[in-house]
Amino acid sequence: QVQLQQSGPGLLKPSQTLSLTCAISGDSVSTHLAAWNWVRQSPSRGLEWLGRTYYRSKWSHDYEESVKSRITVIPDTSKNQFFLQLKYVTYEDTAVYYCARSVSGSFHHWGQGTRVTVSS
Amino acid sequence: ELVMTQSPATLSVSPGERVTLSCRASQSLSSNLAWYHQKPGQPPSLLIYDASTRATGIPARFSGSGSGTEFTLTISSLQSEDFAIYYCQQYNYWPWTFGQGTKVEIK
């Protein structure tokens, strides 16, 4: 049974970097069968896919255009986890952030969510 | 960017009733569509993928149909645990996008 456990701070000031961790159990971050994603949810923007990392013959990444200049999704094979880094946060980045495992595009497993607030 | 439109926004239903939710895409998705439900304080949970395949452990009262631009999620007999918000999600085009949701509430 795949489980995703999120960790990371929930309160940031504008211009800081958001860093979240998603620890994987029941699968490997290096699997060829899935991808590892970050999705966020806010009342104003709804559910919004942000980015993913995945391994086939090499590591690859895809990012949503609106955050592409600020986001990095990084695998950590030594601890079977992956990270989200979102630089220069603004109030508009206030949301609940989820990590999720996707198979061919649909999200089969989700982390528990981290409520992130950007406030001065 | 592709636009996903769900209807209705809210549906008031009594337990045991049949429920039909709609998801419309602004461009053809083939069958690359998933349905989720979400209860307060929880992450979304996958119900249906590839438009009509039930996810692991999902009861048979949930069924998905459609292809192209019109999709439907049907709950044959609504149970108390099914009161939630339902989202569709397309994965045919980048970026993957979600509909705005349909809230199924108790009548």
Side-chain angles (χ1 to χ4, degrees):
Chain A
Q1 174 75 334
V2 176
Q3 292 187 329
L4 305 178
Q5 181 67 39
Q6 297 179 221
S7 59
L11 181 61
L12 289 93
K13 297 183 187 304
S15 81
Q16 290 185 329
T17 296
L18 168 63
S19 295
L20 296 176
T21 301
C22 184
I24 303 163
S25 58
D27 198 355
S28 168
V29 71
S30 303
T31 181
H32 286 66
L33 301 177
W36 306 96
N37 303 261
W38 290 95
V39 177
R40 67 183 178 185
Q41 184 174 31
S42 65
S44 59
R45 301 168 77 102
L47 284 161
E48 182 181 23
W49 172 81
L50 297 176
R52 67 173 184 169
T53 186
Y54 57 97
Y55 186 81
R56 300 297 182 256
S57 56
K58 62 176 183 177
W59 286 103
S60 296
H61 310 87
D62 297 300
Y63 300 125
E64 205 279 331
E65 198 64 31
S66 68
V67 296
K68 194 171 185 177
S69 62
R70 300 191 291 130
I71 190 174
T72 310
V73 179
I74 307 166
D76 178 0
T77 57
S78 66
K79 293 186 177 180
N80 201 34
Q81 60 188 14
F82 63 108
F83 307 108
L84 168 68
Q85 290 186 350
L86 186 66
K87 299 179 181 178
Y88 310 117
V89 297
T90 72
Y91 302 116
E92 291 191 351
D93 294 313
T94 293
V96 178
Y97 286 74
Y98 296 102
C99 60
R101 174 182 178 270
S102 65
V103 176
S104 301
S106 53
F107 300 104
H108 288 242
H109 300 90
W110 296 70
Q112 80 275 22
T114 301
R115 184 171 298 277
V116 173
T117 302
V118 180
S119 174
S120 57
Chain B
E1 184 177 299
L2 182 106
V3 176
M4 305 293 292
T5 303
Q6 291 187 242
S7 60
T10 304
L11 196 57
S12 298
V13 186
S14 299
E17 286 189 20
R18 181 183 181 88
V19 171
T20 301
L21 308 179
S22 174
C23 177
R24 180 173 296 176
S26 59
Q27 300 173 52
S28 177
L29 306 179
S30 184
S31 296
N32 295 315
L33 184 109
W35 289 94
Y36 305 82
H37 66 182
Q38 185 178 30
K39 300 176 186 178
Q42 297 184 18
S45 178
L46 180 67
L47 297 169
I48 301 286
Y49 62 96
D50 294 346
S52 60
T53 303
R54 275 191 300 276
T56 303
I58 300 303
R61 65 179 182 273
F62 292 93
S63 63
S65 63
S67 65
T69 61
E70 301 276 348
F71 299 87
T72 299
L73 175 70
T74 300
I75 310 171
S76 60
S77 177
L78 198 73
Q79 305 299 300
S80 58
E81 61 266 31
D82 300 334
F83 291 99
I85 300 176
Y86 289 78
Y87 296 97
C88 59
Q89 176 238 336
Q90 67 82 20
Y91 44 96
N92 199 58
Y93 300 100
W94 289 109
W96 297 337
T97 49
F98 294 82
Q100 80 281 16
T102 293
K103 183 178 182 179
V104 176
E105 62 179 23
I106 300 174
K107 189 173 183 179

